[in-house]
Amino acid sequence: MEFLVRTENLLPVDTSDEIREKLRAAERERAMELREAGILKRLWRVPGRNATIGLYEAVDPAALHDALTSLPMWKWMDVSVEALAAHPQERA
Amino acid sequence: MEFLVRTENLLPVDTSDEIREKLRAAERERAMELREAGILKRLWRVPGRNATIGLYEAVDPAALHDALTSLPMWKWMDVSVEALAAHPQERA
Amino acid sequence: MEFLVRTENLLPVDTSDEIREKLRAAERERAMELREAGILKRLWRVPGRNATIGLYEAVDPAALHDALTSLPMWKWMDVSVEALAAHPQERA
Amino acid sequence: MEFLVRTENLLPVDTSDEIREKLRAAERERAMELREAGILKRLWRVPGRNATIGLYEAVDPAALHDALTSLPMWKWMDVSVEALAAHPQERA
Amino acid sequence: MEFLVRTENLLPVDTSDEIREKLRAAERERAMELREAGILKRLWRVPGRNATIGLYEAVDPAALHDALTSLPMWKWMDVSVEALAAHPQERA
Amino acid sequence: MEFLVRTENLLPVDTSDEIREKLRAAERERAMELREAGILKRLWRVPGRNATIGLYEAVDPAALHDALTSLPMWKWMDVSVEALAAHPQERA
Amino acid sequence: MEFLVRTENLLPVDTSDEIREKLRAAERERAMELREAGILKRLWRVPGRNATIGLYEAVDPAALHDALTSLPMWKWMDVSVEALAAHPQERA
Amino acid sequence: MEFLVRTENLLPVDTSDEIREKLRAAERERAMELREAGILKRLWRVPGRNATIGLYEAVDPAALHDALTSLPMWKWMDVSVEALAAHPQERA
Amino acid sequence: MEFLVRTENLLPVDTSDEIREKLRAAERERAMELREAGILKRLWRVPGRNATIGLYEAVDPAALHDALTSLPMWKWMDVSVEALAAHPQERA
Amino acid sequence: MEFLVRTENLLPVDTSDEIREKLRAAERERAMELREAGILKRLWRVPGRNATIGLYEAVDPAALHDALTSLPMWKWMDVSVEALAAHPQERA
């Protein structure tokens, strides 16, 4: 099943560039793994914000939770999840 | 998977008692079928309102959608759904 | 550019089945045309509601507006649009 | 009577792993006691968040308050409580 | 247990004076019965609005629900209920 | 005149137990004085939260303000006040 | 004591000009009486809306309620009231 | 001074095409007059909605109110106005 | 033109009494100057809060902004401004 | 395409004057570059707040995002963006 996931990244402004870069690289790497696993399907930026909207696929909300909390930035993120129902136009 | 479902019943106040009773009886009957099918697991009233909170189980959001829209009162209901993730304390 | 579009369908409950079916068929037909034109890319239902979340692509907000208002149900729909920025992970 | 209880855990991100684990273990232990006492009946995670939704039973709101404040994480939690009314379908 | 109950009276503006007066008299009579039964303890008006704030006592939310829905104006009222916990300063 | 007063206590979580207890004792003492003066008439806890709902009586909003700000915890409290109008049912 | 009072006038759009004018004239007349009685002290329009913000003075919320409900337009108005406390800078 | 003005057009869906077109033409004509008078400076559509965002200039809020209420669609519009302060970067 | 101005004072709770008193005295002095200049016309307290509602007059929003930012407490204040339109009843 | 952009500047109150001035100068310089590039078209202050409303033009939301994040103050700003659709009155 698919989920719409919003994240706001609340990493403190005074985080050192070094830590920030390390986190970003690790985040990107983990995101790529989630893409390869077919869990992260699309990702957009909310323009002007350190925030994203993503389309995820997981067997159930618990599996999605595990995927999201595996992101290195997760503990600084405010996340909200919306379960999506397949639309009859796309239920082939 | 489990869902928390809130409903507000917006049936117009001036609906005749006859129609209202017919709808209520049909609603109750369909709800009982959903219970027997293991889809509707618990149901509460929001005190003071013509509103309910329910615990549902369905294979995915589309199946839940089909169950909810099968309720005779559905077209007068404002419904909101929240997907629940199993908690590790209960994932035995 | 891509947009996230939410719709709530507020067609009055007492609309006759005939009109409702006619509108639904016309809506589906127009949606299919928008798919073929590459404007409507994905569509989901908000579980429990007569509402959708869609992923659209259009050259600009005015073009998106024209696409949305071309839907036969549009005048009964409450629509909200969110412009999405491509994420660096996907800007290859 | 039953209550729906939402919690958001606001434990600071920079809490040491040691303290965090100690608190989690203590929290789990206390939660298990509340389960055995029939106070905590069900617990879910809000997917993507350090947050829960729980179904509790207590003789009155003051007893529920005492149960919730007995949780070791309570002082970092933002809690909201909703009293549930038994639904006629379930009042046997 | 005690509850704080807010009501907004949404009786249509164009209701005839005759019906309105009949409803008001019946409402007042039923409210007086609830006072005598110890269920309605205090009642205030929200200044400027056709709205009230009341302090109720009932054995549980279902009993409160039954009391509120016994009011002749109930079906035109938007009601919200908040369960109150006894404060230690008053639990003597 | 009567007022409904909500308070959320935002005393930092890391306040030492000693200071916390001193403040609680002083708070309780001042609350008792306000009760004796007929200003604080009822007090409830919002279940699950470090928050209260109180029924106050004061000659005017400025007198209420002075009473509330005399509470030792006041500077950590988020307070909201609602003026109540006597209801005709109780205006004897 | 003084109150800040907001009103939104929800008179239906299709009200005939004749009734609308009669109501407006009656409203203005009653407002003038409230000014002369020292109850209505200032009145502004919310620009762009059929809405006002007013500064009222009354002995208590019940007296304010009586003044507001004496306005001929009251039953079509959505009103919200905020009790104001005299500021020490102005308590001479 | 400049104002940001949002409008939502709530003209009933079942308004006849004839009336709708007459209103639209009149609206457009009046808008053009406001442009020529230097009152309406820019106008955008909120994509997907029958709504606009406009940049207006008027000597004061009362003059803006008079301009907005001169629009033939005004009585069906929900309008909100925000006063803008010149920014030092543009105060030459 | 007149403005309704709300302020919430967010000065940290742990500010020393000395600094707090210095700021308060300076604030009061500047407020008095704004009164004498005819800019600050009325000031109220929001009962129970470290917050005010004020009636200001200034030639335009930029002049109001300059007046508000001249207050020594301004940088700790959360301020919201509402432009008021003269009401025909008071446009003599 | 054009965007309406709101910013709230959350730079901590205790930032030194030196850093603050350096940031402001750099912000102004970068803003001027964005004006010259035709990206920042208008800028207003929200009266009473350290906040702005701006009218921007960019080829798409990603380009707008890049422009906004190039502002030296960006990491302290809470930004929200609204995509604007050209209005037929201005599509010449």
Side-chain angles (χ1 to χ4, degrees), chain A residues 8 13 15 17 20 45-51, chain J residues 61 64-66 68 74-76 78-81:
Chain A
E8 291 275 334
V13 169
T15 304
D17 285 354
R20 189 180 293 268
R45 265 196 181 137
V46 180
R49 303 184 71 81
N50 195 350
Chain J
L64 176 71
H65 185 81
D66 292 344
L68 292 169
W74 180 73
K75 55 183 178 174
W76 291 278
D78 185 48
V79 179
S80 61
V81 167

PDB file of all heavy atoms in Angstrom, chain A residues 8 13 15 17 20 45-51, chain J residues 61 64-66 68 74-76 78-81:
ATOM      1  N   GLU A   8       9.296  17.607   8.045  1.00  0.00           N
ATOM      2  CA  GLU A   8       9.934  18.914   8.292  1.00  0.00           C
ATOM      3  C   GLU A   8      11.216  18.604   9.035  1.00  0.00           C
ATOM      4  O   GLU A   8      11.179  17.949  10.085  1.00  0.00           O
ATOM      5  CB  GLU A   8       9.048  19.793   9.192  1.00  0.00           C
ATOM      6  CG  GLU A   8       7.783  20.283   8.579  1.00  0.00           C
ATOM      7  CD  GLU A   8       7.963  21.562   7.759  1.00  0.00           C
ATOM      8  OE1 GLU A   8       8.902  22.333   8.043  1.00  0.00           O
ATOM      9  OE2 GLU A   8       7.163  21.760   6.845  1.00  0.00           O
ATOM     10  N   VAL A  13      19.647  25.057  13.914  1.00  0.00           N
ATOM     11  CA  VAL A  13      20.362  25.941  12.998  1.00  0.00           C
ATOM     12  C   VAL A  13      21.850  25.970  13.308  1.00  0.00           C
ATOM     13  O   VAL A  13      22.685  26.081  12.409  1.00  0.00           O
ATOM     14  CB  VAL A  13      19.767  27.366  13.097  1.00  0.00           C
ATOM     15  CG1 VAL A  13      20.642  28.374  12.382  1.00  0.00           C
ATOM     16  CG2 VAL A  13      18.354  27.388  12.529  1.00  0.00           C
ATOM     17  N   THR A  15      23.807  23.629  14.219  1.00  0.00           N
ATOM     18  CA  THR A  15      24.551  22.384  13.990  1.00  0.00           C
ATOM     19  C   THR A  15      25.774  22.690  13.113  1.00  0.00           C
ATOM     20  O   THR A  15      25.657  23.418  12.138  1.00  0.00           O
ATOM     21  CB  THR A  15      23.629  21.362  13.284  1.00  0.00           C
ATOM     22  OG1 THR A  15      22.460  21.184  14.077  1.00  0.00           O
ATOM     23  CG2 THR A  15      24.332  20.029  13.085  1.00  0.00           C
ATOM     24  N   ASP A  17      28.673  22.541  10.365  1.00  0.00           N
ATOM     25  CA  ASP A  17      28.624  22.115   8.964  1.00  0.00           C
ATOM     26  C   ASP A  17      29.092  20.671   8.820  1.00  0.00           C
ATOM     27  O   ASP A  17      28.575  19.917   7.999  1.00  0.00           O
ATOM     28  CB  ASP A  17      29.504  23.029   8.102  1.00  0.00           C
ATOM     29  CG  ASP A  17      28.837  24.372   7.867  1.00  0.00           C
ATOM     30  OD1 ASP A  17      27.659  24.523   8.274  1.00  0.00           O
ATOM     31  OD2 ASP A  17      29.479  25.267   7.305  1.00  0.00           O
ATOM     32  N   ARG A  20      26.351  18.369   9.926  1.00  0.00           N
ATOM     33  CA  ARG A  20      25.265  18.502   8.957  1.00  0.00           C
ATOM     34  C   ARG A  20      25.578  17.733   7.671  1.00  0.00           C
ATOM     35  O   ARG A  20      24.726  17.006   7.146  1.00  0.00           O
ATOM     36  CB  ARG A  20      25.059  19.995   8.664  1.00  0.00           C
ATOM     37  CG  ARG A  20      23.832  20.340   7.851  1.00  0.00           C
ATOM     38  CD  ARG A  20      23.749  21.854   7.620  1.00  0.00           C
ATOM     39  NE  ARG A  20      23.510  22.593   8.851  1.00  0.00           N
ATOM     40  CZ  ARG A  20      22.294  22.925   9.304  1.00  0.00           C
ATOM     41  NH1 ARG A  20      21.234  22.593   8.605  1.00  0.00           N
ATOM     42  NH2 ARG A  20      22.157  23.585  10.425  1.00  0.00           N
ATOM     43  N   ARG A  45      10.589  18.390  -2.822  1.00  0.00           N
ATOM     44  CA  ARG A  45      10.817  19.405  -1.806  1.00  0.00           C
ATOM     45  C   ARG A  45       9.610  20.313  -1.713  1.00  0.00           C
ATOM     46  O   ARG A  45       8.995  20.638  -2.722  1.00  0.00           O
ATOM     47  CB  ARG A  45      12.015  20.267  -2.194  1.00  0.00           C
ATOM     48  CG  ARG A  45      13.295  19.804  -1.576  1.00  0.00           C
ATOM     49  CD  ARG A  45      14.319  20.906  -1.672  1.00  0.00           C
ATOM     50  NE  ARG A  45      15.576  20.474  -1.101  1.00  0.00           N
ATOM     51  CZ  ARG A  45      16.746  20.712  -1.647  1.00  0.00           C
ATOM     52  NH1 ARG A  45      16.806  21.353  -2.803  1.00  0.00           N
ATOM     53  NH2 ARG A  45      17.838  20.322  -1.034  1.00  0.00           N
ATOM     54  N   VAL A  46       9.290  20.730  -0.481  1.00  0.00           N
ATOM     55  CA  VAL A  46       8.307  21.804  -0.307  1.00  0.00           C
ATOM     56  C   VAL A  46       9.085  23.082  -0.565  1.00  0.00           C
ATOM     57  O   VAL A  46      10.014  23.389   0.183  1.00  0.00           O
ATOM     58  CB  VAL A  46       7.727  21.789   1.112  1.00  0.00           C
ATOM     59  CG1 VAL A  46       6.707  22.911   1.272  1.00  0.00           C
ATOM     60  CG2 VAL A  46       7.105  20.432   1.416  1.00  0.00           C
ATOM     61  N   PRO A  47       8.764  23.843  -1.612  1.00  0.00           N
ATOM     62  CA  PRO A  47       9.618  24.977  -1.963  1.00  0.00           C
ATOM     63  C   PRO A  47       9.749  25.987  -0.821  1.00  0.00           C
ATOM     64  O   PRO A  47       8.768  26.348  -0.179  1.00  0.00           O
ATOM     65  CB  PRO A  47       8.926  25.592  -3.194  1.00  0.00           C
ATOM     66  CG  PRO A  47       7.557  25.012  -3.237  1.00  0.00           C
ATOM     67  CD  PRO A  47       7.612  23.697  -2.536  1.00  0.00           C
ATOM     68  N   GLY A  48      10.990  26.396  -0.577  1.00  0.00           N
ATOM     69  CA  GLY A  48      11.266  27.404   0.448  1.00  0.00           C
ATOM     70  C   GLY A  48      11.515  26.838   1.832  1.00  0.00           C
ATOM     71  O   GLY A  48      11.907  27.570   2.732  1.00  0.00           O
ATOM     72  N   ARG A  49      11.284  25.545   2.024  1.00  0.00           N
ATOM     73  CA  ARG A  49      11.395  24.956   3.351  1.00  0.00           C
ATOM     74  C   ARG A  49      12.395  23.798   3.348  1.00  0.00           C
ATOM     75  O   ARG A  49      12.635  23.188   2.325  1.00  0.00           O
ATOM     76  CB  ARG A  49      10.048  24.400   3.820  1.00  0.00           C
ATOM     77  CG  ARG A  49       8.941  25.406   3.835  1.00  0.00           C
ATOM     78  CD  ARG A  49       7.651  24.825   4.393  1.00  0.00           C
ATOM     79  NE  ARG A  49       7.730  24.580   5.812  1.00  0.00           N
ATOM     80  CZ  ARG A  49       7.576  25.497   6.757  1.00  0.00           C
ATOM     81  NH1 ARG A  49       7.306  26.741   6.419  1.00  0.00           N
ATOM     82  NH2 ARG A  49       7.670  25.188   8.034  1.00  0.00           N
ATOM     83  N   ASN A  50      12.874  23.460   4.535  1.00  0.00           N
ATOM     84  CA  ASN A  50      13.685  22.249   4.682  1.00  0.00           C
ATOM     85  C   ASN A  50      12.705  21.120   4.965  1.00  0.00           C
ATOM     86  O   ASN A  50      12.630  20.597   6.077  1.00  0.00           O
ATOM     87  CB  ASN A  50      14.687  22.434   5.822  1.00  0.00           C
ATOM     88  CG  ASN A  50      15.775  21.374   5.790  1.00  0.00           C
ATOM     89  OD1 ASN A  50      15.675  20.400   5.045  1.00  0.00           O
ATOM     90  ND2 ASN A  50      16.796  21.550   6.596  1.00  0.00           N
ATOM     91  N   ALA A  51      11.956  20.776   3.966  1.00  0.00           N
ATOM     92  CA  ALA A  51      10.829  19.864   4.135  1.00  0.00           C
ATOM     93  C   ALA A  51      10.617  19.091   2.853  1.00  0.00           C
ATOM     94  O   ALA A  51      10.963  19.565   1.776  1.00  0.00           O
ATOM     95  CB  ALA A  51       9.566  20.656   4.458  1.00  0.00           C
TER      96      ALA A  51
ATOM     97  N   PRO J  61       9.228  25.793  -9.186  1.00  0.00           N
ATOM     98  CA  PRO J  61       9.415  25.803  -7.725  1.00  0.00           C
ATOM     99  C   PRO J  61      10.835  25.473  -7.288  1.00  0.00           C
ATOM    100  O   PRO J  61      11.307  26.002  -6.272  1.00  0.00           O
ATOM    101  CB  PRO J  61       8.418  24.746  -7.246  1.00  0.00           C
ATOM    102  CG  PRO J  61       7.342  24.734  -8.281  1.00  0.00           C
ATOM    103  CD  PRO J  61       8.054  24.978  -9.575  1.00  0.00           C
ATOM    104  N   LEU J  64      12.818  28.611  -7.547  1.00  0.00           N
ATOM    105  CA  LEU J  64      12.441  29.492  -6.433  1.00  0.00           C
ATOM    106  C   LEU J  64      13.112  29.024  -5.152  1.00  0.00           C
ATOM    107  O   LEU J  64      13.656  29.830  -4.382  1.00  0.00           O
ATOM    108  CB  LEU J  64      10.924  29.489  -6.247  1.00  0.00           C
ATOM    109  CG  LEU J  64      10.457  30.320  -5.044  1.00  0.00           C
ATOM    110  CD1 LEU J  64      10.636  31.793  -5.303  1.00  0.00           C
ATOM    111  CD2 LEU J  64       9.022  29.993  -4.682  1.00  0.00           C
ATOM    112  N   HIS J  65      13.088  27.717  -4.931  1.00  0.00           N
ATOM    113  CA  HIS J  65      13.721  27.159  -3.729  1.00  0.00           C
ATOM    114  C   HIS J  65      15.202  27.546  -3.688  1.00  0.00           C
ATOM    115  O   HIS J  65      15.708  27.968  -2.629  1.00  0.00           O
ATOM    116  CB  HIS J  65      13.568  25.635  -3.723  1.00  0.00           C
ATOM    117  CG  HIS J  65      14.086  24.987  -2.489  1.00  0.00           C
ATOM    118  ND1 HIS J  65      13.366  24.933  -1.319  1.00  0.00           N
ATOM    119  CD2 HIS J  65      15.266  24.385  -2.205  1.00  0.00           C
ATOM    120  CE1 HIS J  65      14.077  24.319  -0.386  1.00  0.00           C
ATOM    121  NE2 HIS J  65      15.226  23.972  -0.904  1.00  0.00           N
ATOM    122  N   ASP J  66      15.867  27.428  -4.805  1.00  0.00           N
ATOM    123  CA  ASP J  66      17.286  27.772  -4.835  1.00  0.00           C
ATOM    124  C   ASP J  66      17.496  29.251  -4.523  1.00  0.00           C
ATOM    125  O   ASP J  66      18.429  29.620  -3.807  1.00  0.00           O
ATOM    126  CB  ASP J  66      17.890  27.404  -6.202  1.00  0.00           C
ATOM    127  CG  ASP J  66      17.928  25.887  -6.401  1.00  0.00           C
ATOM    128  OD1 ASP J  66      17.784  25.151  -5.404  1.00  0.00           O
ATOM    129  OD2 ASP J  66      18.071  25.443  -7.557  1.00  0.00           O
ATOM    130  N   LEU J  68      15.529  31.231  -2.709  1.00  0.00           N
ATOM    131  CA  LEU J  68      15.220  31.513  -1.302  1.00  0.00           C
ATOM    132  C   LEU J  68      16.322  30.997  -0.381  1.00  0.00           C
ATOM    133  O   LEU J  68      16.713  31.661   0.576  1.00  0.00           O
ATOM    134  CB  LEU J  68      13.875  30.894  -0.921  1.00  0.00           C
ATOM    135  CG  LEU J  68      12.665  31.541  -1.597  1.00  0.00           C
ATOM    136  CD1 LEU J  68      11.413  30.686  -1.382  1.00  0.00           C
ATOM    137  CD2 LEU J  68      12.432  32.951  -1.071  1.00  0.00           C
ATOM    138  N   TRP J  74      18.204  32.658   5.404  1.00  0.00           N
ATOM    139  CA  TRP J  74      17.247  31.578   5.133  1.00  0.00           C
ATOM    140  C   TRP J  74      17.177  30.559   6.268  1.00  0.00           C
ATOM    141  O   TRP J  74      16.090  30.144   6.662  1.00  0.00           O
ATOM    142  CB  TRP J  74      17.547  30.856   3.818  1.00  0.00           C
ATOM    143  CG  TRP J  74      16.557  29.751   3.575  1.00  0.00           C
ATOM    144  CD1 TRP J  74      15.253  29.900   3.200  1.00  0.00           C
ATOM    145  CD2 TRP J  74      16.768  28.350   3.744  1.00  0.00           C
ATOM    146  NE1 TRP J  74      14.648  28.667   3.108  1.00  0.00           N
ATOM    147  CE2 TRP J  74      15.544  27.697   3.446  1.00  0.00           C
ATOM    148  CE3 TRP J  74      17.866  27.583   4.120  1.00  0.00           C
ATOM    149  CZ2 TRP J  74      15.391  26.317   3.508  1.00  0.00           C
ATOM    150  CZ3 TRP J  74      17.719  26.205   4.185  1.00  0.00           C
ATOM    151  CH2 TRP J  74      16.495  25.588   3.887  1.00  0.00           C
ATOM    152  N   LYS J  75      18.334  30.171   6.801  1.00  0.00           N
ATOM    153  CA  LYS J  75      18.241  29.073   7.763  1.00  0.00           C
ATOM    154  C   LYS J  75      17.527  29.450   9.057  1.00  0.00           C
ATOM    155  O   LYS J  75      17.134  28.584   9.814  1.00  0.00           O
ATOM    156  CB  LYS J  75      19.594  28.395   8.021  1.00  0.00           C
ATOM    157  CG  LYS J  75      20.710  29.271   8.452  1.00  0.00           C
ATOM    158  CD  LYS J  75      21.987  28.396   8.572  1.00  0.00           C
ATOM    159  CE  LYS J  75      23.186  29.235   8.951  1.00  0.00           C
ATOM    160  NZ  LYS J  75      24.366  28.405   9.212  1.00  0.00           N
ATOM    161  N   TRP J  76      17.310  30.751   9.272  1.00  0.00           N
ATOM    162  CA  TRP J  76      16.513  31.170  10.439  1.00  0.00           C
ATOM    163  C   TRP J  76      15.077  31.531  10.049  1.00  0.00           C
ATOM    164  O   TRP J  76      14.315  31.988  10.878  1.00  0.00           O
ATOM    165  CB  TRP J  76      17.160  32.379  11.120  1.00  0.00           C
ATOM    166  CG  TRP J  76      18.444  32.063  11.789  1.00  0.00           C
ATOM    167  CD1 TRP J  76      18.599  31.509  13.029  1.00  0.00           C
ATOM    168  CD2 TRP J  76      19.763  32.254  11.284  1.00  0.00           C
ATOM    169  NE1 TRP J  76      19.936  31.345  13.313  1.00  0.00           N
ATOM    170  CE2 TRP J  76      20.681  31.796  12.264  1.00  0.00           C
ATOM    171  CE3 TRP J  76      20.285  32.767  10.083  1.00  0.00           C
ATOM    172  CZ2 TRP J  76      22.061  31.839  12.095  1.00  0.00           C
ATOM    173  CZ3 TRP J  76      21.658  32.807   9.915  1.00  0.00           C
ATOM    174  CH2 TRP J  76      22.530  32.343  10.908  1.00  0.00           C
ATOM    175  N   ASP J  78      11.206  30.932   8.658  1.00  0.00           N
ATOM    176  CA  ASP J  78      10.094  30.029   8.377  1.00  0.00           C
ATOM    177  C   ASP J  78       9.420  30.575   7.118  1.00  0.00           C
ATOM    178  O   ASP J  78       8.911  31.701   7.115  1.00  0.00           O
ATOM    179  CB  ASP J  78       9.125  30.016   9.565  1.00  0.00           C
ATOM    180  CG  ASP J  78       8.019  29.010   9.365  1.00  0.00           C
ATOM    181  OD1 ASP J  78       8.317  27.867   9.011  1.00  0.00           O
ATOM    182  OD2 ASP J  78       6.834  29.379   9.543  1.00  0.00           O
ATOM    183  N   VAL J  79       9.451  29.792   6.056  1.00  0.00           N
ATOM    184  CA  VAL J  79       9.017  30.278   4.740  1.00  0.00           C
ATOM    185  C   VAL J  79       7.805  29.491   4.272  1.00  0.00           C
ATOM    186  O   VAL J  79       7.753  28.270   4.431  1.00  0.00           O
ATOM    187  CB  VAL J  79      10.166  30.111   3.710  1.00  0.00           C
ATOM    188  CG1 VAL J  79       9.718  30.587   2.335  1.00  0.00           C
ATOM    189  CG2 VAL J  79      11.410  30.843   4.159  1.00  0.00           C
ATOM    190  N   SER J  80       6.829  30.188   3.706  1.00  0.00           N
ATOM    191  CA  SER J  80       5.753  29.444   3.032  1.00  0.00           C
ATOM    192  C   SER J  80       5.505  30.070   1.666  1.00  0.00           C
ATOM    193  O   SER J  80       5.536  31.283   1.508  1.00  0.00           O
ATOM    194  CB  SER J  80       4.478  29.396   3.867  1.00  0.00           C
ATOM    195  OG  SER J  80       3.994  30.675   4.090  1.00  0.00           O
ATOM    196  N   VAL J  81       5.264  29.199   0.708  1.00  0.00           N
ATOM    197  CA  VAL J  81       5.196  29.589  -0.699  1.00  0.00           C
ATOM    198  C   VAL J  81       3.838  29.218  -1.264  1.00  0.00           C
ATOM    199  O   VAL J  81       3.310  28.149  -0.966  1.00  0.00           O
ATOM    200  CB  VAL J  81       6.306  28.856  -1.493  1.00  0.00           C
ATOM    201  CG1 VAL J  81       6.081  28.973  -2.991  1.00  0.00           C
ATOM    202  CG2 VAL J  81       7.679  29.397  -1.123  1.00  0.00           C
TER     203      VAL J  81
END
